[in-house]
Amino acid sequence: MAPSHPPSSPDCPFCAIAAATSLSPIPYPLPPSSSSSSPPSTSLFPSPPPTAHTILSTPLLLAFLDHAPIARGHVLLVVRAHREKLGDVRVEEGEAVGRWLGVLSRAVVRSVSEEMRGKEGGDGGDGEDGEGEWDDGDVGDWNIVQNNGARAAQVVPHVHFHIIPRVGGDVPEVKARSWTVFGKGQREELDPDDAEVLVRRMRRAVEREVERVRRREGGEGVRRLVLGERLGRGSKL
């Protein structure tokens, strides 16, 4: 169970975002567990969305757009509790990161890829509902970057994972690939109006990726993802 008041730091911007981000009803029904006829209340999206442009909100995690993105769609996945380095993360929090990182990454990169293909197709890429042909194939390329400590380029001392889409353009030559290995790139200020459009696309993409989990792993897979439930939790080890 996540603590009702996770540890926080008064000087940490990510803690401030976590404190300001409430939870709202999940946008689709969860399948009932074997021990309950009705699914418990949970949530993925905050309401109302704070200025951090939040994409995902769970009792243990938050995901929001980076305010100075290296690439379009640059997202941060953070633990709600104030943990300075990865070694400080609790087991339950680490499990939540493991469940969500792949799903969120696909949603983020798919949103940017679909948008780019829409622009190349001449429709401006303004569709926000992501109702195109969504399959289980490759969504594109991206970096996952996680830094620990100032010497390792960690700017905010609160555990976070950078999800950086690498969509469009040519594959760099081998000698130039270090440019993208650790999430390097030219940072730009996030445009608030554009961010709202991007957030709506990404939220819809998260829903669709959860549905992908349902198709691949069934209702129990969705429950494990969203609620952290595991088969045999009550079994003796």
Side-chain angles (χ1 to χ4, degrees):
M1 294 291 290
S4 56
H5 298 286
S8 64
S9 170
D11 300 322
C12 176
F14 293 171
C15 287
I17 292 171
T21 305
S22 60
L23 301 175
S24 63
I26 195 167
Y28 50 83
L30 285 173
S33 67
S34 57
S35 60
S36 173
S37 60
S38 61
S41 175
T42 186
S43 58
L44 294 183
F45 307 118
S47 178
T51 57
H53 304 296
T54 311
I55 298 156
L56 176 75
S57 178
T58 80
L60 294 173
L61 305 176
L62 287 173
F64 47 86
L65 294 178
D66 192 300
H67 77 282
I70 289 174
R72 182 161 183 77
H74 182 170
V75 166
L76 301 181
L77 176 65
V78 312
V79 294
R80 277 184 174 269
H82 187 70
R83 315 293 187 200
E84 291 194 5
K85 295 183 179 181
L86 191 59
D88 301 323
V89 168
R90 302 300 190 262
V91 170
E92 184 180 30
E93 295 163 343
E95 290 175 343
V97 170
R99 290 193 305 272
W100 277 109
L101 190 55
V103 171
L104 181 63
S105 295
R106 280 183 56 91
V108 167
V109 178
R110 185 185 287 277
S111 296
V112 178
S113 297
E114 291 283 339
E115 179 185 61
M116 180 169 292
R117 284 198 291 271
K119 290 181 178 179
E120 292 174 349
D123 66 2
D126 294 328
E128 298 176 14
D129 58 4
E131 291 292 350
E133 292 296 327
W134 287 54
D135 56 36
D136 290 339
D138 185 31
V139 296
D141 298 341
W142 69 95
N143 294 108
I144 298 292
V145 181
Q146 199 278 319
N147 304 320
N148 295 275
R151 293 182 181 85
Q154 184 183 22
V155 176
V156 179
H158 183 127
V159 169
H160 57 284
F161 296 78
H162 296 262
I163 301 173
I164 307 171
R166 300 296 187 180
V167 177
D170 298 326
V171 176
E173 297 293 333
V174 172
K175 63 181 180 181
R177 286 184 182 177
S178 61
W179 190 83
T180 59
V181 168
F182 296 109
K184 295 179 181 179
Q186 181 65 45
R187 286 184 175 270
E188 298 180 358
E189 288 297 321
L190 186 67
D191 178 80
D193 294 334
D194 182 48
E196 290 296 336
V197 173
L198 193 54
V199 163
R200 286 193 291 270
R201 292 179 63 90
M202 287 184 176
R203 287 183 175 190
R204 177 56 178 158
V206 169
E207 291 183 42
R208 298 298 296 271
E209 288 300 327
V210 173
E211 286 302 316
R212 176 176 178 265
V213 172
R214 189 192 301 274
R215 292 195 303 269
R216 289 161 58 97
E217 303 180 39
E220 186 61 32
V222 176
R223 292 189 63 84
R224 288 181 174 182
L225 172 67
V226 177
L227 302 179
E229 290 191 358
R230 298 184 299 276
L231 290 175
R233 169 176 282 187
S235 303
K236 295 182 178 179
L237 298 178

